């Protein structure tokens, strides 16, 4: 996707009559695969927008625990802004990538000049809170949904993708009936915590 088109389509700019001057932003930064972009004690006070390639957030103390993945157009780094004292995870380049940073000072100026942009940002944060609350509810659930979600997260690849699953074998592995298993899949799908297509499953982590 064209980098300029990615920036112009950013959620911050929805319902604006005109875009801010994007030429005043710092130049995009390139990262090699595996390179750290944000770390708990070393991160820019900025939102990151992936322009090319792919990045992923991993648990600060468990690099194997992938929390989220970001392709072109995806945004990360909100937790680094407006008072954050330490970043909550590590973001690394999952492949060679280019990132456009939106510094906190720039965002402050934009929000003061254009209230709609501030509303767009609040809507973005609200969506993230809802998503995280849904994940917390599943992780703390002792029922079929929580058990299934934990198994899928543990057995998916870096993108959360799993091959076609045998419902009979999966039900046996999780020690639950097929009806409960299908119901658990439906519940997770309604909460946007997984996607099913052509018999394959991808977990949204």
């Amino acid at each position: 996707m064209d980098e300029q088109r990615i920036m112009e389509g950013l959620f911050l700019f929805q319902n604006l009559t005109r875009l801010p001057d994007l030429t005043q932003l710092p130049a995009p930064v390139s990262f090699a695969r595996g390179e750290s972009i944000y770390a708990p004690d070393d991160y820019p006070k900025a939102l990151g927008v992936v322009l090319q390639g792919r990045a992923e957030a991993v648990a600060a103390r468990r690099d194997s625990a992938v929390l989220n993945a970001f392709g072109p157009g995806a945004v990360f780094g909100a937790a680094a802004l407006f008072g954050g004292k330490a970043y909550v995870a590590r973001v690394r380049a999952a492949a060679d990538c280019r990132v456009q940073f939106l510094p906190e000072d720039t965002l402050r100026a934009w929000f003061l000049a254009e209230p709609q942009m501030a509303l767009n940002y609040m809507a973005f944060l609200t969506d993230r809170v809802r998503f995280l609350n849904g994940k917390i509810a599943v992780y703390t659930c002792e029922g079929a949904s929580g058990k299934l979600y934990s198994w899928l997260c543990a057995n998916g690849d870096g993108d959360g993708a799993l091959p076609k699953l045998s419902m009979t074998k999966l039900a046996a592995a999780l020690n639950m009936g097929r009806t409960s298993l299908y119901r658990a899949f439906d519940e997770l799908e309604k909460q946007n915590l997984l996607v099913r297509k052509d018999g394959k499953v991808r977990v949204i982590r």
Side-chain angles (χ1 to χ4, degrees), residues 2 24 45 86 91 100 113 139 142 176:
D2 180 75
Q24 300 301 310
K45 287 276 191 179
V91 178
Q100 175 65 68
Y139 273 126
E142 295 181 356
M176 67 175 71

Side-chain angles (χ1 to χ4, degrees), residues 24-38:
Q24 300 301 310
L25 292 172
V29 181
S30 295
F31 295 91
R33 183 174 183 233
E35 191 174 354
S36 181
I37 303 173
Y38 284 65

Side-chain angles (χ1 to χ4, degrees), residues 15-31:
N15 302 317
L16 297 187
T17 55
R18 66 173 182 170
L19 296 178
D21 184 2
L22 302 180
T23 64
Q24 300 301 310
L25 292 172
V29 181
S30 295
F31 295 91

Side-chain angles (χ1 to χ4, degrees), residues 30 36 52 56 83 104 111 116 149 151 153-154 156 163 171:
S30 295
S36 181
Q52 296 180 24
E56 60 188 8
E104 181 178 306
F111 294 166
Q116 180 60 52
Y149 188 72
W151 188 93
C153 287

